[in-house]
């Protein structure tokens, strides 16, 4: 089949490669001409604009958006608006908020599939996990493409109506934060505990048969191999946090307790603030009631 | 080589089977004669007592204890005391506290290896992850057995001196609690969220390529397949907790924050108490300051 | 001075009483005629409608709204719209979200003061704590009324521009949740601990000189006196949660970690759900990896 | 009545002063002669040794120990051993672990009262809150002294048998940690929130009539008055933690969830570690799965 891909960053190129490799025809566009050239080298037909891409796709267009979540998605949909109709299918493979996807489906003439995509750059070889929301017929139409982009037929599924794909991906990411922090706590204790341990060896041993083996633990093993058991100069500064924040907000809305996900997110916030006000106040209060000496910053 | 196995419960039988299958000779004993017979059927030489087992092993005895952590380990070591010397090796493959293992190593004439064993009954086929502490020479001597019991050479390693094996296993279990709770929070949100989802399909899709894929997530998938997306009559009651408690106590001792592991453990405690006093008091206090109606138990 | 009070529920009546007792003139209105009659008995001039109330106040109207947060505030402001101008002052003494107050200030011709009110029905005698946001001149104009409604001049202050009053009150409530849960945890441990304690005596002793003495602890003491050390039939069900939810959402927005406030809120959610999905899954997973028996609900 | 006081640090001197001021006779001893002189100036009879103090007390000795928890208590009890019998009463007013107190009661011939003392140096004027464990008769005998040292008769009570006084004090301190952190979170949000607030004014307003008013909040008010709304150079470093650790350990033992107390304690640990390993690992893992740039420490 034929697929248009708009957005040729790291993830978009992987989509192009995997779909081309599966024997499909790809028309590719990005605002960056160099990225288009890279896709062309990989076997895609280059397009000069969104309109050009749409023209080249003919009727029953199948289009995959892999642009940054946010304004770029809306801008691309605006450009596509006059080129698509109800027989066409648009997939948003980025990290959009599910409510945005619900809104976009309403204002797009094409069938709209929101597709949570997990696996990162490593998916280039393995394929991704695709969590898809939207009309069944559109999902069915896209199945050959999903088979190619995902790890295979088992790596994608229709979660439910539009929004459900990005909803499930949002929760996936919330869980991801908590898993990382859980492993981190274990290794923090081992790194500060009673024995002088080779943490790569610990992770390797766990990854071979232990209950907690996982891909994230394989990445821990890789991290210790490359950075050392003390993680070298890796800083206590965790960036990101938007999908975790969305997860906690949704959990508040649904009144579902998610203390581990919340705490993992809070650790990120804390990692970016060298002097937590709450602790500074506690330091001072201990003087207030117990005349314990206040610890003060050196100049 | 030749191995004595004392303790032939579910895990002990797996050890027997895997070591026999690897071509080694096994002498097996358990207080339950039926368990000894099962081991004999699997190819082990039955022993009638600890003393008999020791006699049958000759010099340079290699003995694997797979008895319940606690008094049973001490009782077995007492029985072994007059039969072992410094050329012999005793492995404790159970879930003992690392400080107990340190103490036992001091009072045992044989070389003592504490071996944290993870993987559960599923290890019957796959092999286990073995985290071993104790003298290097003893670990080296036991390598053929560890190769057989573990998933292979990658599935075992010497963590450090005696105690370190059970120490690493203790932390493994603390992490395990947190991972389970983290997945649980994600699925709890999905089960109470905006979409009517097939949680087995979610878990299956995640297990194929998503960042959070893991063996525990495969067990979630299995749970939803067997119990349904609503988990049927599975109760809100989580048993166990000793190794998690040890982990938190050790983290207190080392002054390492482990909020996710702590909270996962606290959820277990909470699951066993239908009426948490703290919340009951909060309910009453809301009346105290705001005259909000007190919710009372029906008779 | 002269004050119009709209909304004569429990809190509104206290406002009327305290302002009348301070020697001011009050015109009072509520949709419920009986409530108006009660206010009249207390010395207020009854009004038959919002318009009537506005008429009776003459120029430079000073009006206190004590209606439920939400639609009622907007409806009352709509009714007031044609009766007030920039020389008038409207106070919202309810628990509105600060962003709503900012919006209302923009669409109201009168000067708008958002006034967080804490102290509950007990404030009838003691007076309230009033956290006020809005223009300085309007705050100054209202000072005699604030002196009367609050515990006195120390019991009210201008926090900053409009919105800041309800903002500070929102955070107050978040802290309140955490304080209640903190005391609750202490008493939960004492109630389940090693000694058979009279919790009223504990709270009484603490309230007399201990570091943690507070009004909430006095309410704990009262609760144990009235319900007993076991809290009798007080249920594990904590209602409410909106201001706590707002606090956590704002903390997410500002990327400020508030783990105690979050957890206190999560305990409320948990208290309303007898069968937490996350724990049920953990129960099942322990079978998955360790063949620990699944605890199942009885029919 | 007559009281011997051993240990004349800050707290011991306050005990001396309050008991002398109440008209009782005090014999005072400390290893530091200057401290004894200070007590003598305050009206106490100086003693030259523990033995001398015991001699001066005659029969039916009433002795208050106010020495640092730990070895000093045992050393003092050893010295007292030959001087006391079953008609005498010894009070340990320090922060001993309750299990130590139980043990000491068993090995002391005198009746033993463990007395949790809260209120800090501020108790010099107000008096303390005293939580007492031990035999009823001994508590009754000491009542005049407790009346003097406490805020009055309401400020002390017998909690139960020996150990219960220090047990209740231990839990008091656990709650104290959580209350401080709860206020801290609220002020941290306000300090980083949408409005430029005078936190002393906020605390002052809350302390006058708000639900969360308390002595600790008065200490917050004082802290902001003395250090400014930004707390100046007060460092993010909270010392201490032993009684909080004891509380969490006891809660683990009793299987009572105390997430707020735990988290408050964990914040102390975190405040002493500038580079949390768990977060450093999360930073690195984000590169592992998503190729997000690793943040690294500058040289």
């Amino acid at each position: 089949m034929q697929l248009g891909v708009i957005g040729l960053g790291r993830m978009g190129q992987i989509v192009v490669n995997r779909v081309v490799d599966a024997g499909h025809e790809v028309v590719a566009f990005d605002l960056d001409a160099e990225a288009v050239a890279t896709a062309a080298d990989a076997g895609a037909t280059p397009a000069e604009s969104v309109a050009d891409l749409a023209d080249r796709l003919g009727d029953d267009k199948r289009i995959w958006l892999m642009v940054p979540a946010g304004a770029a998605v809306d801008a691309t949909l605006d450009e596509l608006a006059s080129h698509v109709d109800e027989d066409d299918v648009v997939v948003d493979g980025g990290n959009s908020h599910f409510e945005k996807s619900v809104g976009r489906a309403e204002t797009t003439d094409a069938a709209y599939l929101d597709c949570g995509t997990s696996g990162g750059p490593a998916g280039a070889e393995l394929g991704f996990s695709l969590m898809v929301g939207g009309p069944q017929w559109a999902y069915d139409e896209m199945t050959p493409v999903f088979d190619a982009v995902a790890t295979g037929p088992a790596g994608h599924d229709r979660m439910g109506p539009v929004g459900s794909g990005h909803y499930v991906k949002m929760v996936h990411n919330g869980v991801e934060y908590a898993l990382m922090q859980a492993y981190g706590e274990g290794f923090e204790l081992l790194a500060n505990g009673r024995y002088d341990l080779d943490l790569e060896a610990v992770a390797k041993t766990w990854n071979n048969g232990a209950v907690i083996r996982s891909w994230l633990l394989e990445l821990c093993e890789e991290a210790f191999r490359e950075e050392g058991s003390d993680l070298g100069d890796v800083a206590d500064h965790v960036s990101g946090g938007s999908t975790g924040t969305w997860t906690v907000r949704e959990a508040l809305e649904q009144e579902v307790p998610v203390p581990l996900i919340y705490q993992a997110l809070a650790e990120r916030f804390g990692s970016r603030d060298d002097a937590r006000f709450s602790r500074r106040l506690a330091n001072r209060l201990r003087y207030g009631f117990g005349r314990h000496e206040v610890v003060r910053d050196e100049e």
Side-chain angles (χ1 to χ4, degrees), chain A:
Chain A
M1 65 180 281
Q2 193 189 40
L3 178 75
V5 177
I6 300 176
L8 300 170
R10 192 161 42 199
M11 294 290 281
Q13 296 286 2
I14 299 175
V15 169
V16 168
N17 293 345
R18 293 187 64 88
V19 175
V20 166
D21 288 353
H24 303 296
E25 190 187 333
V26 172
V27 184
F29 173 70
D30 192 286
L31 292 172
D32 174 4
E34 211 168 318
V36 177
T38 302
D41 287 347
T45 303
E48 293 180 5
S49 65
V50 167
D52 181 38
L53 177 139
D55 282 351
R56 289 174 185 272
L57 290 176
D59 286 346
D60 297 347
K61 301 174 182 64
R62 309 289 176 250
I63 300 172
W64 189 294
L65 307 187
M66 211 65 173
V67 300
V73 178
D74 290 317
T76 308
L77 289 174
D78 280 352
E79 282 195 77
L80 274 176
S82 56
H83 303 283
V84 295
D85 63 27
E86 59 178 14
D87 297 325
D88 301 324
V89 179
V90 172
V91 178
D92 174 9
N95 248 340
S96 299
H97 192 277
F98 70 94
E99 287 178 330
K100 291 274 185 186
S101 296
V102 171
R104 286 163 183 157
E106 282 169 10
T107 57
T108 301
D109 288 334
Y112 198 82
L113 297 175
D114 57 303
C115 175
T117 304
S118 181
E125 288 179 33
L126 298 169
F128 296 109
S129 167
L130 302 178
M131 302 142 248
V132 187
Q136 183 72 50
W137 75 265
Y139 174 76
D140 292 342
E141 281 293 320
M142 292 295 288
T143 293
V145 165
F146 290 145
D147 284 349
V149 175
T151 57
H156 63 91
D157 215 333
R158 180 178 173 267
M159 303 287 111
V162 71
S164 62
H166 283 143
Y167 192 82
V168 171
K169 176 56 163 47
M170 172 187 79
V171 174
H172 168 280
N173 284 23
V175 172
E176 178 189 291
Y177 287 31
L179 298 183
M180 282 197 283
Q181 187 63 26
Y183 285 119
E185 288 183 4
F187 285 114
E188 182 164 330
L189 180 50
L190 292 179
N192 292 278
R194 305 198 183 207
Y195 297 93
D196 182 25
L197 299 164
D198 174 344
L199 296 186
E200 183 195 346
V202 170
K204 182 266 302 173
T205 307
W206 284 351
N207 272 321
N208 285 278
V211 170
I212 65 173
R213 64 187 182 268
S214 70
W215 189 53
L216 278 167
L217 188 56
E218 291 172 32
L219 296 175
C220 293
E221 188 182 337
E222 179 186 276
F224 294 126
R225 183 164 54 245
E226 296 181 2
E227 309 282 351
S229 272
D230 64 356
L231 287 178
D233 62 353
V234 175
D236 177 351
H237 186 103
V238 195
S239 304
S242 58
T243 49
T245 296
W246 297 347
T247 305
V248 174
R249 286 176 64 116
E250 174 64 6
L252 289 173
E253 191 86 12
Q254 304 297 339
E255 304 198 347
V256 170
V258 289
L260 276 72
I261 294 173
Y262 176 79
Q263 184 62 29
L265 177 62
E267 292 287 351
R268 293 196 179 196
F269 297 155
S271 78
R272 302 173 201 164
D273 185 356
D274 278 342
R276 294 272 313 283
F277 198 85
S278 53
R279 297 162 173 177
R280 296 172 65 218
L281 183 58
N283 173 4
R284 184 51 169 71
L285 289 177
R286 295 182 76 247
Y287 171 79
F289 63 73
R291 292 295 175 263
H292 302 286
E293 196 181 354
V294 179
V295 184
R296 297 197 179 266
D297 290 320
E298 319 248 325
E299 280 182 63

